[in-house]
């Protein structure tokens, strides 16, 4: 209800100041596995007892344009810092009838007029308080001001015979795929994240997976510095399909030689099951039979042309010195042991007999 504004812009109430520190903490779809306990929900995390007025939870489906769900949040974060929307026991709000989290889509925490959040079109950075994209649809990524590589796809293989969710393991970096991992659902509890208790030592030598790596193989160290561990995690995940993200690589080291990526050190895991998958991957991709380029962990194994030329010059100089030393020793020996007259006469006699 608002005062009349004929021939003028409608007078719509603006939302209150945005609640600070509230992020999407966990998302699950009822379609990700066939497990009987697989339930759809979205969990928020924030300061205890923080009021959520003005925030709208919206859900997108990559198969449809616009949002499929828009839920104005009511109440506040509980005393443990959690708030759940979905079809699970003890949820603070349930999904609207006939809606759920799709197989591929996005969950968005929006702060704007409800009509703007529900439309889901041309949302600004100030409107997008937090975003989790679990889709490879370029159209959906663009509509949420994201780019390819800024999404997280659930890895069902990372969990052994159980339901799967996407869990945040880095509290404060919003809209970052490196903050997320696939795990078992833990609504209203601390998320399951990679632990050193399930770490394993690996030593892998992996070949290029994309043309970008091949084109920049001569400057691979610069590529890794630019894209950091997220690029390497994606590289490994394409081999393992077991939920590896940059969160797992905090104890690992990287080097690149002739386009081959060398990864060695400790890689964390969620469980003994996932640890076994990572070890299996390391056995499937041993060091290639092209020399010992990946045998020693160094950060820069490329030898420059100037260094190679200097080595060749050094070898030539060393050989000349050895020849000179040998000649000097021969002259010195002759001077210390000269031939006497009797020996010279016998030598001339022997030469005469040979002529006869």
């Amino acid at each position: 209800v608002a005062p009349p504004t004929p021939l003028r812009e409608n007078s719509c109430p603006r939302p209150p100041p945005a609640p600070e520190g509230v992020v999407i903490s966990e998302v699950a779809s009822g379609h990700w596995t066939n497990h009987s306990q697989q339930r759809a929900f979205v969990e928020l995390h924030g300061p205890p007892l923080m009021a959520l007025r003005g925030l709208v939870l919206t859900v997108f489906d990559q198969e449809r344009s616009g949002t499929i769900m828009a839920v104005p949040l009511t109440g506040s974060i509980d005393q443990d810092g959690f708030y759940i929307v979905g079809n699970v026991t003890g949820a603070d709000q349930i999904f609207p009838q006939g809606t759920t989290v799709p197989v591929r889509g996005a969950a968005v925490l929006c702060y704007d007029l409800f009509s703007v959040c529900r439309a889901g079109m041309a949302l600004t950075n100030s409107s997008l308080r937090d975003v989790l994209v679990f889709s490879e649809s370029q159209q959906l990524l663009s509509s949420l001001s994201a780019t390819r590589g800024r999404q997280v796809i659930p890895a069902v293989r990372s969990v052994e015979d159980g339901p799967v969710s996407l869990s945040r393991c880095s509290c404060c970096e919003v809209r970052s795929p490196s903050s997320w991992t696939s795990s078992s659902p833990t609504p209203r509890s601390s998320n399951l994240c990679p632990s050193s208790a399930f770490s394993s030592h690996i030593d892998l030598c992996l070949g290029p997976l994309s043309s970008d790596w091949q084109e920049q193989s001569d400057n691979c160290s610069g590529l890794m510095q630019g894209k950091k561990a997220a690029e390497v995690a994606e590289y490994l995940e394409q081999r393992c399909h077991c939920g590896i993200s940059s969160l797992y690589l905090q104890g690992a080291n990287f080097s690149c030689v002739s386009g081959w990526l060398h990864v060695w050190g400790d890689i964390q895991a969620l469980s003994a099951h996932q640890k076994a998958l990572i070890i299996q991957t390391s056995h499937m991709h041993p060091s290639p039979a092209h020399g010992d380029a990946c045998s020693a962990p160094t950060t820069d194994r490329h030898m420059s042309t100037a260094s190679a030329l200097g080595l060749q010059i050094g070898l030539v100089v060393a050989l000349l010195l050895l020849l000179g030393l040998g000649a000097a020793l021969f002259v010195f020996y002759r001077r210390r042991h000269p031939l006497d007259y009797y020996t010279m006469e016998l030598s001339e006699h022997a030469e005469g007999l040979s002529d006869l």
Side-chain angles (χ1 to χ4, degrees):
V1 179
T5 56
L7 302 179
R8 289 182 296 161
E9 185 178 354
N10 293 340
S11 177
C12 298
R14 301 297 300 178
E20 296 295 334
V22 180
V23 297
I24 299 174
S25 176
E26 190 173 8
V27 175
S29 170
H31 305 291
W32 284 346
T33 71
N34 295 324
H35 197 274
S36 60
Q37 298 299 318
Q38 186 75 48
R39 298 286 186 270
F41 69 92
V42 177
E43 178 189 76
L44 306 180
H45 188 269
L49 307 181
M50 170 70 73
L52 299 176
R53 185 184 175 191
L55 291 176
V56 179
L57 176 66
T58 61
V59 176
F60 293 75
D61 188 337
Q62 72 172 12
E63 303 299 332
R64 299 169 59 181
S65 60
T67 63
I68 61 171
M69 180 196 315
V71 182
L73 301 182
T74 61
S76 59
I77 302 288
D78 68 14
Q79 60 183 2
D80 295 321
F82 298 106
Y83 188 95
I84 297 180
V85 182
N87 303 328
V88 294
T89 303
D92 297 283
Q93 289 184 251
I94 62 174
F95 290 145
Q97 186 175 4
T99 63
T100 188
V101 178
V103 177
R104 292 290 182 268
V108 177
L109 192 59
C110 178
Y111 170 74
D112 210 316
L113 295 174
F114 177 74
S115 58
V116 174
C117 293
R118 181 176 56 184
M121 303 298 291
L123 296 174
T124 64
N125 284 332
S126 60
S127 299
L128 296 171
R129 306 302 293 182
D130 197 8
V131 177
L132 173 63
V133 181
F134 44 95
S135 167
E136 296 178 345
S137 169
Q138 188 59 51
Q139 181 178 359
L140 180 58
L141 287 166
S142 299
S143 67
L144 296 176
S145 302
T147 57
R148 188 169 298 278
R150 305 291 294 179
Q151 77 272 24
V152 184
I153 305 300
V156 177
R157 192 167 177 245
S158 64
V159 177
E160 183 179 15
D161 189 26
V164 174
S165 70
L166 291 173
S167 300
R168 177 187 290 276
C169 291
S170 178
C171 70
C172 307
E173 190 177 358
V174 299
R175 287 189 267 174
S176 172
S178 61
S179 302
W180 293 85
T181 186
S182 299
S183 70
S184 298
T186 58
R188 215 177 288 278
S189 300
S190 298
N191 293 341
L192 294 177
C193 297
S195 169
S196 58
F198 300 104
S199 65
S200 59
H201 184 82
I202 65 168
D203 193 335
L204 300 177
C205 199
L206 304 177
L209 291 179
S210 66
S211 58
D212 292 341
W213 285 80
Q214 292 173 346
E215 292 172 359
Q216 302 187 42
S217 60
D218 291 337
N219 192 22
C220 188
S221 297
L223 174 64
M224 288 188 293
Q225 291 172 3
K227 296 188 177 181
K228 301 186 184 295
E231 178 74 13
V232 180
E234 181 182 357
Y235 189 91
L236 291 174
E237 176 60 11
Q238 292 183 44
R239 298 288 180 111
C240 183
H241 301 288
C242 57
I244 295 178
S245 68
S246 58
L247 295 169
Y248 294 69
L249 304 175
Q250 299 177 13
N253 305 286
F254 315 102
S255 66
C256 191
V257 182
S258 301
W260 289 80
L261 177 66
H262 186 200
V263 185
W264 78 98
D266 292 330
I267 291 188
Q268 299 179 353
L270 293 170
S271 61
H273 168 73
Q274 191 180 47
K275 175 182 177 180
L277 293 177
I278 294 174
I279 294 176
Q280 180 183 1
T281 300
S282 66
H283 291 165
M284 290 172 58
H285 301 282
S287 298
H290 68 284
D292 59 348
C294 285
S295 62
T298 59
T299 57
D300 186 7
R301 296 177 61 93
H302 294 286
M303 179 177 291
S304 64
T305 304
S307 299
L309 181 60
L311 179 60
Q312 295 176 3
I313 294 175
L315 290 175
V316 172
V317 172
L319 180 61
L320 293 175
L321 289 175
L322 288 175
L323 292 175
L325 180 61
L329 290 175
F330 178 78
V331 172
F332 177 76
Y333 178 81
R334 283 301 186 187
R335 290 181 177 179
R336 294 291 302 271
H337 301 83
L339 295 176
D340 53 21
Y341 178 80
Y342 178 73
T343 304
M344 295 174 61
E345 184 179 5
L346 289 179
S347 178
E348 291 178 355
H349 179 69
E351 290 178 357
L353 291 177
S354 62
D355 291 339
L356 293 176

